[in-house]
Amino acid sequence: MKRIPSVLALLLGVCVSRLDAQSGSQAPGASNDAAVPSLASLYQRFFPIGAAVDPQTLVTQENLLATQVNSLVAENDMKWERIHPRRGNAPSSYNFSGADAIVAFARAHGMRVRGHTLVWHRQVPGMVFRGDKGPATRTDVLDRMKDHITTLLTRYKGQVYCWDVVNEALSDDGGWRTDSPWFEAAGADENGDGIPDYIEKAFEFARQADPSALLFYNDYNIESGAKLEAAVKLVKALKEKGLVDGVGIQGHWSIFGPDAGTIRDAIERFASLGMQVQITELDLSVFVWGDNSSLAALPPDLARRQAAQYDALFKVFRDESGAPGSSRAGQPGRLTGVTFWGIADDHTWLDSFPVAGRKNWPLLFDTSQKPKPAFWAVAKW
Ligand code: XIL
């Protein structure tokens, strides 16, 4: 594999994607032509196929979304910083414009909506944790959290069927994420049930606000090791109180791993606790974690490797769906959804993470919104 310096790669990447776009005779999103099947239809008997969107991609990727997925999640527009954008006046002021647009698009196309995310340490304005004189009190922070959760779940009752109530509360070594401002404000475990108060309260507020919504704990790297054990412990404790229905395994993986067997074991572990399991943010980076080099375009060998990895994962996903004939058919708790963190490589957060400005190609459709080998691996089995 040939590596080139990142600035050059970026320039080349832009040129390549322009060329791609110009050479295509169809408009972006025109892959809803008869030759490209709909994943949502193909996976009807297994689970909904979802994509993360924002108000811009509802326009730039409209055709692709409308034909390929039957579930949406807001990539950013239901997070605190979008819902409470006004400094000084928040958190009591709300702005639902982006979230409403996404929910309306879903309704117009008969799609379901996942809610993401109510309590996370990122993308939440600092003022939520500030009082008149220094840090806000525990009570104030929990009151603001309650107001936020109750308002969102009430507004979207019947339209958002599940919520990632708490996101990424665990650190990679299996401890609590103690540097979260939520933990700092209300991370004690006052009733000694093993659950930090802010986590327990978030689930309680969500349950109260919309008893019909499915409540998820969502995190990354919870498919193995100490973090898996910690997630199992947390979910068990929440389940004993009737506060959690599902676990979201984010699925920000790479074309080099983890292997599908590891994912299968994790799904079965959570399912054995009575949890629904969903893959909530699937994308497969073409770079190994820690490799900060760049590529001008996606080399065919990596595109093939990506297809093979998607193929192996979706074999497990179909099997774990509980569809008739699968290994978990009829058992409680199972894989009930797969959501991609985007739909085509023209819009992916991995272009800015973990290396700002480095092009990545993690999704099933290319920068011109045409199907990649990875798409065919998922669509044909
Ligand atoms: C990411 C978005 O994709 C970016 O646009 C934003 O700048 C940062 O957040 N885990 C999550 C998601 O739970 O909310 C994150 O989304 C990706 C990692």
Side-chain angles (χ1 to χ4, degrees):
M1 188 192 328
K2 207 168 155 204
R3 303 279 184 195
I4 55 173
S6 56
V7 176
L8 180 60
L10 192 64
L11 288 172
L12 284 171
V14 169
C15 295
V16 168
S17 52
R18 290 223 171 115
L19 280 176
D20 279 357
Q22 283 164 6
S23 62
S25 53
Q26 294 172 308
S31 57
N32 55 337
D33 70 49
V36 181
S38 157
L39 281 189
S41 308
L42 289 170
Y43 277 78
Q44 197 82 46
R45 71 191 167 97
F46 298 112
F47 40 73
I49 298 284
V53 297
D54 66 28
Q56 293 74 43
T57 60
L58 291 180
V59 177
T60 59
Q61 301 181 325
E62 182 180 3
N63 291 339
L64 204 53
L65 292 167
T67 51
Q68 291 296 329
V69 307
N70 51 5
S71 178
L72 296 183
V73 62
E75 183 173 356
N76 291 299
D77 282 80
M78 290 190 185
K79 294 174 182 170
W80 278 73
E81 69 177 15
R82 294 286 170 91
I83 296 287
H84 307 279
R86 279 166 51 203
R87 290 184 180 280
N89 205 7
S92 55
S93 73
Y94 285 81
N95 182 330
F96 299 108
S97 54
D100 281 356
I102 292 166
V103 171
F105 184 98
R107 190 169 347 150
H109 292 88
M111 300 168 176
R112 57 177 72 205
V113 180
R114 302 192 80 253
H116 176 83
T117 176
L118 298 170
V119 173
W120 189 29
H121 61 286
R122 294 186 56 198
Q123 293 181 278
V124 49
M127 63 200 152
V128 174
F129 307 101
R130 277 199 295 273
D132 294 338
K133 310 178 194 86
T137 63
R138 171 185 190 279
T139 311
D140 280 350
V141 169
L142 291 177
D143 282 352
R144 289 168 185 173
M145 178 202 273
K146 181 172 188 179
D147 194 55
H148 175 87
I149 291 178
T150 307
T151 304
L152 260 82
L153 270 72
T154 305
R155 184 178 186 87
Y156 295 119
K157 202 176 270 190
Q159 302 182 72
V160 172
Y161 80 101
C162 72
W163 286 92
D164 291 333
V165 179
V166 175
N167 196 33
E168 303 181 356
L170 295 167
S171 67
D172 285 346
D173 64 5
W176 300 116
R177 186 185 288 278
T178 51
D179 58 355
S180 159
W182 297 107
F183 188 94
E184 282 162 8
D189 176 14
E190 291 196 350
N191 59 10
D193 60 1
I195 312 169
D197 293 343
Y198 84 90
I199 299 178
E200 185 170 350
K201 289 290 171 199
F203 279 93
E204 269 178 30
F205 298 151
R207 197 57 111 203
Q208 279 162 17
D210 183 0
S212 65
L214 296 170
L215 307 185
F216 276 70
Y217 176 70
N218 192 55
D219 212 332
Y220 66 92
N221 282 357
I222 50 168
E223 47 274 351
S224 62
K227 209 167 171 184
L228 168 62
E229 298 311 320
V232 164
K233 213 166 143 201
L234 170 59
V235 161
K236 257 188 183 163
L238 287 166
K239 168 84 176 163
E240 268 165 30
K241 304 196 146 196
L243 291 175
V244 67
D245 307 298
V247 174
I249 297 176
Q250 289 186 2
H252 293 296
W253 297 315
S254 90
I255 63 174
F256 304 102
D259 65 86
T262 301
I263 309 307
R264 184 195 56 229
D265 292 350
I267 294 171
E268 297 196 356
R269 189 83 187 279
F270 288 122
S272 74
L273 305 176
M275 289 295 101
Q276 291 200 17
V277 183
Q278 298 198 358
I279 308 298
T280 51
E281 306 184 18
L282 183 59
D283 51 18
L284 299 185
S285 167
V286 305
F287 301 98
V288 182
W289 184 255
D291 171 4
N292 292 345
S293 65
S294 304
L295 290 164
L298 177 59
D301 61 324
L302 293 193
R304 278 195 298 275
R305 186 159 190 153
Q306 184 173 55
Q309 185 64 6
Y310 269 116
D311 181 47
L313 288 170
F314 272 79
K315 271 194 181 103
V316 166
F317 297 163
R318 287 189 299 271
D319 210 35
E320 294 296 321
S321 70
S326 72
S327 67
R328 298 202 69 81
Q331 294 184 42
R334 56 192 173 86
L335 191 76
T336 59
V338 175
T339 296
F340 293 91
W341 209 240
I343 188 75
D345 291 341
D346 60 346
H347 177 90
T348 165
W349 77 301
L350 293 178
D351 285 353
S352 48
F353 179 88
V355 182
R358 177 182 68 178
K359 184 70 198 129
N360 208 327
W361 301 269
L363 297 163
L364 301 188
F365 292 85
D366 69 16
T367 54
S368 307
Q369 303 186 7
K370 300 290 190 309
K372 294 161 65 181
F375 171 83
W376 296 110
V378 175
K380 290 185 172 169
W381 67 88

